[in-house]
């Protein structure tokens, strides 16, 4: 028998501790569940430092949440765009965001100790009944932005950068 995923649709807006990014795991049946979050500028502004050069965030985060008895497997799939200035010509363009991240959450004893983290594994006490994934969504979204922001090439293979800026760069680089 194939289990269908439960799908929850959430918008990525609200306060820093917005409940829409909380997963009440004790009420979930074992198996896969899917959550979809639409992220925009307000989510970014509320979660971290605002970089004025990054704007018009539009991303869809699909979270696969697979509940097991003593651990959860989370798979974050990121798809979207952000407007950034080109590192080469300075003109703004829409940079494509796409990435995947996996995270394992392991349940520990009932002590109310703080949450411990290792690379891709997070340990939380069983007494925690709700998991707030908002900070991970923000972190993985930031990690999906490439370090280099250069216009993609046009379909004919020519650079997508501003041609006048490229001419000026060529002129300035001549000996």
């Amino acid at each position: 028998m194939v289990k269908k995923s439960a799908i929850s649709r959430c918008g990525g807006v609200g306060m820093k501790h917005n409940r829409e990014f909380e997963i009440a795991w004790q009420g979930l049946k074992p198996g896969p569940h899917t959550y979809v979050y639409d992220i925009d500028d307000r989510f970014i502004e509320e979660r971290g430092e605002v970089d004025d050069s990054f704007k018009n965030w539009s991303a869809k985060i699909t979270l696969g949440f697979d509940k097991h008895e003593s651990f959860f497997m989370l798979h974050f799939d990121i798809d979207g765009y952000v407007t950034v200035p080109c590192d080469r010509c300075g003109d703004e363009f829409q940079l494509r965001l796409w990435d995947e991240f996996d995270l394992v959450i392991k349940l520990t004893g009932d002590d109310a100790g703080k949450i411990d983290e290792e690379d891709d594994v997070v340990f939380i006490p069983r007494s925690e009944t709700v998991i707030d994934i908002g900070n991970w969504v923000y972190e993985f979204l930031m990690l999906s932005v490439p370090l280099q922001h250069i216009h993609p090439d046009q379909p004919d293979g020519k650079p997508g950068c501003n041609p006048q800026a490229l001419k000026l760069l060529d002129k300035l680089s001549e000996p």
Side-chain angles (χ1 to χ4, degrees):
M1 179 171 132
V2 176
K3 283 190 172 189
K4 289 189 176 183
S5 298
I7 297 184
S8 170
R9 200 137 174 84
C10 304
V13 296
M15 299 177 358
K16 283 190 180 183
H17 276 313
N18 195 325
R19 296 194 92 126
E20 67 192 323
F21 293 98
E22 293 180 352
I23 298 175
W25 61 269
Q26 281 192 332
L28 292 177
K29 292 182 180 180
H33 304 271
T34 301
Y35 300 87
V36 177
Y37 302 94
D38 293 317
I39 305 299
D40 61 13
D41 288 333
R42 287 193 297 177
F43 173 82
I44 301 301
E45 290 167 4
E46 292 168 355
R47 289 283 170 173
E49 289 185 31
V50 179
D51 183 344
D52 292 337
S53 63
F54 288 24
K55 55 188 173 186
N56 301 326
W57 288 88
S58 176
K60 180 173 135 182
I61 312 292
T62 304
L63 170 64
F65 187 94
D66 195 0
K67 181 183 178 187
H68 296 266
E69 187 175 323
S70 61
F71 67 96
F72 314 122
M73 294 179 62
L74 283 68
H75 178 78
F76 295 82
D77 189 6
I78 297 172
D79 185 23
Y81 292 92
V82 63
T83 301
V84 298
C86 178
D87 291 340
R88 186 182 302 151
C89 71
D91 285 359
E92 290 184 343
F93 73 102
Q94 276 196 330
L95 178 66
R96 175 75 193 264
L97 304 174
W98 54 271
D99 218 331
E100 297 179 27
F101 298 92
D102 292 314
L103 184 68
V104 175
I105 298 176
K106 292 186 178 183
L107 299 174
T108 62
D110 283 329
D111 60 344
K114 68 177 192 176
I115 296 175
D116 295 323
E117 291 191 37
E118 291 180 9
D119 293 330
D120 296 338
V121 180
V122 177
F123 298 91
I124 64 168
R126 287 185 187 276
S127 59
E128 292 286 335
T129 59
V130 175
I131 299 169
D132 184 353
I133 62 151
N135 288 336
W136 291 314
V137 168
Y138 175 80
E139 180 180 335
F140 293 148
L141 192 59
M142 292 298 114
L143 289 171
S144 72
V145 177
L147 292 176
Q148 198 171 47
H149 314 132
I150 297 180
H151 278 99
D153 287 342
Q154 297 177 7
D156 62 3
K158 293 181 181 178
C161 289
N162 178 332
Q164 292 173 329
L166 292 180
K167 285 180 186 176
L168 181 60
L169 288 172
D170 285 343
K171 188 175 181 179
L172 293 174
S173 66
E174 293 175 2

